[in-house]
C-alpha cells in the first residue's frame, strides 16, 4: 500500500511544461475593441499575437501594442483577456500593462499561450525589446517571461511569475558584454494547486576579455499569490 501511495503522489507532482495553446486569428474587431477599451486611436494599436482558450473555456487572450508617443515615445504592451474568441470578441474582460514592449521593427519572438495552473488557468507570455545605448556604444536587449492570472481574490489580472533578462553587446567596449537568454518556464502542480516554477537560462559573461558561458536554473516557490524566488 505504501508503494502505491508513493507512485500516486509522484504522478501529482510531475512538472507541467507550459505548452502553447492554439493561436487564434485576430480580426479587425479586436483592434477596434482594444482601442476603445484602452482609450487609444485605433491607428496606434497593433495586435501582436492572440491565443485561443483551452477546450473548456469561452474567452481568449491577446497581446496588443499601443504606440502613440505618450510614454516618452516608448510603446506600451497590454495583455487583454477577451470574452469570446479573439477573432470575434464580445468584450474585453481585463487587461494588464507591461514595461517591456517591442517597437514596430521588433516583436518577432512574441509569444502568448493559455496554460494550466491547477484549478485555475493563466497566460504564459514572452516579450522582447531592444534599444541602442549611445553612452556604452552597444545594443541592449530585454527578454521578459511572465505568467499572468486572475486568482479570484479581487486583485484582478496580474503577473504571478516574472523574469526579465538583459543582454548587452558592444564592439567598442567588449568588456561590458553580457548575455542571459532564458527558456520557457516550467510549472509544478500538486493536488490542483501550483507548487513551484523554474526557468533555465544560458548566461555569458566576460572575464579578462574571455567569454565565460554557463547555464543556471532559477527556482521559485508558490506562496499563495505568486511564484516567489527562493
Amino acid at each position: 500500500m505504501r508503494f502505491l501511495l508513493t507512485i500516486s503522489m509522484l504522478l501529482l507532482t510531475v512538472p507541467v511544461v507550459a505548452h502553447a495553446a492554439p493561436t487564434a486569428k485576430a480580426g479587425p474587431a479586436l483592434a477596434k475593441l482594444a482601442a476603445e477599451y484602452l482609450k487609444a486611436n485605433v491607428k496606434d494599436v497593433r495586435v501582436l499575437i492572440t491565443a485561443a482558450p483551452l477546450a473548456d473555456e469561452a474567452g481568449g487572450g491577446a497581446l496588443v501594442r499601443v504606440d502613440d508617443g505618450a510614454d516618452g515615445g516608448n510603446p506600451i504592451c497590454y495583455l487583454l483577456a477577451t470574452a469570446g474568441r479573439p477573432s470575434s470578441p464580445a468584450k474585453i474582460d481585463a487587461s494588464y500593462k507591461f514595461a517591456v514592449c517591442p517597437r514596430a521593427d521588433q516583436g518577432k519572438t512574441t509569444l502568448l499561450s493559455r496554460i494550466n495552473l491547477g484549478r485555475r488557468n493563466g497566460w504564459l507570455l514572452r516579450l522582447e525589446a531592444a534599444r541602442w545605448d549611445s553612452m556604452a556604444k552597444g545594443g541592449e536587449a530585454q527578454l521578459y517571461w511572465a505568467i499572468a492570472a486572475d486568482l479570484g481574490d479581487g486583485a484582478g489580472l496580474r503577473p504571478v511569475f516574472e523574469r526579465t533578462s538583459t543582454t548587452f553587446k558592444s564592439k567598442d567596449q567588449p568588456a561590458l558584454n553580457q548575455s542571459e537568454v532564458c527558456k520557457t518556464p516550467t510549472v509544478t502542480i500538486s493536488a490542483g494547486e501550483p507548487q513551484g516554477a523554474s526557468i533555465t537560462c544560458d548566461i555569458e559573461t566576460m572575464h579578462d576579455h574571455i567569454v565565460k558561458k554557463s547555464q543556471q536554473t532559477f527556482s521559485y516557490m508558490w506562496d499563495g499569490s505568486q511564484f516567489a524566488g527562493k
Side-chain angles (χ1 to χ4, degrees):
M1 179 64 71
R2 179 176 298 177
F3 178 73
L4 292 176
L5 287 174
T6 301
I7 292 178
S8 177
M9 292 177 67
L10 286 173
L11 289 174
L12 289 172
T13 57
V14 172
V16 178
V17 179
H19 296 289
T23 300
K25 292 184 179 180
L30 178 56
K32 182 180 179 181
L33 194 64
E36 294 173 352
Y37 183 86
L38 299 171
K39 295 179 173 57
N41 191 314
V42 70
K43 295 180 179 180
D44 299 324
V45 176
R46 181 183 176 186
V47 180
L48 297 178
I49 192 172
T50 63
L54 297 179
D56 58 344
E57 297 179 309
L63 281 171
V64 302
R65 179 181 64 219
V66 177
D67 194 359
D68 57 5
D71 189 21
N74 297 314
I76 302 174
C77 282
Y78 295 85
L79 170 62
L80 304 179
T82 65
R85 290 182 173 271
S87 57
S88 56
K91 64 175 182 175
I92 294 173
D93 287 330
S95 68
Y96 189 85
K97 181 174 73 174
F98 298 99
V100 177
C101 189
R103 299 194 312 265
D105 58 340
Q106 302 167 359
K108 293 181 179 179
T109 61
T110 301
L111 297 174
L112 178 66
S113 62
R114 192 66 160 154
I115 62 168
N116 180 268
L117 293 176
R119 294 187 176 91
R120 290 187 174 87
N121 297 322
W123 296 104
L124 171 72
L125 61 102
R126 168 184 166 138
L127 290 167
E128 192 166 5
R131 69 180 185 89
W132 176 258
D133 190 326
S134 57
M135 294 184 63
K137 296 182 179 179
E140 181 183 274
Q142 286 186 309
L143 171 60
Y144 175 73
W145 281 105
I147 297 173
D150 185 342
L151 301 180
D153 55 5
L157 182 67
R158 80 278 193 179
V160 296
F161 170 91
E162 294 180 285
R163 184 168 186 86
T164 303
S165 302
T166 301
T167 294
F168 178 81
K169 298 290 184 181
S170 172
K171 292 183 178 179
D172 295 339
Q173 301 187 50
L176 299 177
N177 289 356
Q178 63 175 14
S179 174
E180 182 180 278
V181 179
C182 298
K183 299 175 174 61
T184 308
T186 301
V187 174
T188 304
I189 298 171
S190 178
E193 294 294 336
Q195 299 297 310
S198 64
I199 188 167
T200 299
C201 306
D202 294 321
I203 300 171
E204 292 185 9
T205 55
M206 297 299 295
H207 182 69
D208 293 334
H209 300 284
I210 298 175
V211 178
K212 182 180 179 182
K213 297 183 179 181
S214 62
Q215 188 177 83
Q216 187 170 352
T217 298
F218 301 91
S219 298
Y220 303 77
M221 294 298 295
W222 182 253
D223 66 4
S225 61
Q226 64 179 345
F227 293 101
K230 290 183 178 180

